[in-house]
Each structure stands twice: as structure tokens, then as C-alpha cells.
Amino acid sequence: MLNSIDIKDECDVTAWCKMSDIIKLKNVPFGVYAFTQPEDRIPSTNIWPHEHMGVTYFGVAGKSYDDVYYDKKDKDSDRHHKSGQIYQRLRSHRAELGKEPSLVSKSTCYTKFFEEYGFAQNHLNRINVCVLTPKTKLDNINVRSWLFMIESLSIYLYSKNFGYQPLMQIAHSIDCRSGVINENTSNQQKIKEFRENSLMGFF
């Protein structure tokens, strides 16, 4: 069971850094990352992400120690930047969090962020990030399983600590399918009819 695993025995934590400084994480091949709401201070190095109320999201990136990304430095050259998948995934988050909310075409976890904290370019200088990596080397075949285990454990421990899940953790919430269900399908109509009939039994 998840609660029998000691996350602090399993993981090392990279130092917290600002979302605008994620270049510091470019050589991390894989891990479970966490980022926070906009806040005025970088968390202390001894604060784990599940212990920090300001965390808004946990995610995973990478699949092995060899999972690297080669980003072309410029289109007129054969030079490339090498980085791990953590850096690439956080770059994607940084781009979405820096996007005007009006440009977001559908409701996503970013919508929840903007609804709660508004939109400002300087948010990127106030969102903090850290990454959990394995304390002992894993076989590549076990990396993905380890990532999903630690992500779920982190969310579970956060929920135990604070009584709710991180704001942007849509896939793990009770109503994880809300907002994506077409209420007009015959299946949804049947479910609605069943619920209404069941409710009538209470009166």
C-alpha cells in the first residue's frame, strides 16, 4: 500500500527554484515534479512538496535514464541543446502559465489556476518548482512504475496533510470527468434518469 512506503526513504528532492529558472533542472533525466501557486518566497530546501500547502500540481516526466531531448539551437545550425524530459515538460507548463487566459481554447487545469490567481506575466517569477528523484538507481524497466507510484503517493500525502487535493490535480479529483462529459449522449441521459428515479425513492 502507498502509505507503507516512506517517500523520504525513496526520494531525493532537488532544490526549489523559480519557474523562470528551470534551466537549472535541464540535466535531470526523469522525476516527479511539483509546482506552486505564485508566492513571495522560495520554500526551504527541507520542505517536501507534499508538506507545502502552496503546491498546485504534481506531475511526472521521463521514462529512463537515457531519455534525453535534443533541441535544435537555431534552424541555420546543426548545434543542439541536450536536456532531460523534466526540463521539457516544465517548459511546456511555463508556456501555458504565461499564456493569456483568453487564448486557452477549453477548460483545463490552467483555467483553474487563472480563476484562482488571475493572470500576470510576473507569476512565472513567483511560481516555485522542485523535483523528486530516486534515492537509489533504478533499472530502466522500473522507472515509469516508480514515477506513477511516487506521483500518486505525493498527491495522497498532500491530501492527508491539507484535506484537499492540489488545485490543478484534475485527473485525481473525485469529479475528474466533469467538464468533459457530453450530457446529451444516450448514456448520460440514461444515467440522469436512473439518478432521478433513485432520488425519488428517498421521498
Side-chain angles (χ1 to χ4, degrees):
M1 288 181 61
L2 281 179
N3 61 358
S4 66
I5 300 165
D6 189 330
I7 197 167
K8 296 183 180 182
D9 286 341
E10 279 284 332
C11 305
D12 284 324
V13 186
T14 65
W16 290 86
C17 68
K18 295 179 179 181
M19 182 69 85
S20 54
D21 291 333
I22 56 172
I23 191 69
K24 295 176 180 178
L25 302 170
K26 80 181 187 78
N27 294 321
V28 181
F30 64 84
V32 174
Y33 60 87
F35 61 81
T36 70
Q37 65 190 33
E39 50 192 15
D40 294 329
R41 294 182 178 182
I42 295 178
S44 164
T45 53
N46 62 358
I47 293 180
W48 288 67
H50 68 272
E51 298 171 337
H52 183 39
M53 186 183 288
V55 166
T56 59
Y57 189 75
F58 289 93
V60 303
K63 57 189 177 185
S64 76
Y65 289 90
D66 313 311
D67 190 16
V68 294
Y69 184 88
Y70 291 94
D71 194 14
K72 197 162 186 180
K73 196 165 186 179
D74 63 69
K75 60 184 179 183
D76 300 320
S77 156
D78 285 333
R79 296 172 64 194
H80 290 75
H81 287 299
K82 177 182 173 182
S83 65
Q85 295 297 333
I86 282 283
Y87 173 64
Q88 293 303 320
R89 187 70 188 102
L90 289 172
R91 276 183 67 187
S92 173
H93 283 303
R94 185 174 65 187
E96 292 297 325
L97 291 165
K99 191 183 289 185
E100 287 275 1
S102 60
L103 299 177
V104 178
S105 59
K106 61 181 180 179
S107 181
T108 65
C109 60
Y110 302 109
T111 310
K112 284 183 171 286
F113 184 93
F114 295 137
E115 286 172 353
E116 186 71 19
Y117 307 112
F119 173 77
Q121 279 293 339
N122 73 344
H123 279 348
L124 297 180
N125 294 320
R126 299 177 60 230
I127 296 170
N128 296 307
V129 179
C130 77
V131 181
L132 300 176
T133 57
K135 197 176 284 286
T136 57
K137 195 171 192 306
L138 305 173
D139 292 330
N140 275 339
I141 194 173
N142 292 324
V143 167
R144 290 295 281 178
S145 298
W146 184 89
L147 287 171
F148 290 125
M149 175 184 72
I150 297 302
E151 179 195 34
S152 291
L153 179 56
S154 296
I155 295 166
Y156 174 76
L157 292 174
Y158 180 98
S159 301
K160 292 277 283 183
N161 283 337
F162 302 113
Y164 53 84
Q165 294 198 333
L167 174 71
M168 300 170 68
Q169 219 74 53
I170 295 175
H172 290 258
S173 65
I174 292 172
D175 58 345
C176 63
R177 295 186 62 199
S178 65
V180 297
I181 296 173
N182 181 350
E183 300 290 347
N184 297 317
T185 64
S186 59
N187 177 57
Q188 287 305 309
Q189 291 296 320
K190 202 70 180 170
I191 290 171
K192 183 179 179 182
E193 177 186 339
F194 173 78
R195 285 176 178 163
E196 287 174 351
N197 290 336
S198 295
L199 186 60
M200 290 302 293
F202 288 102
F203 296 100

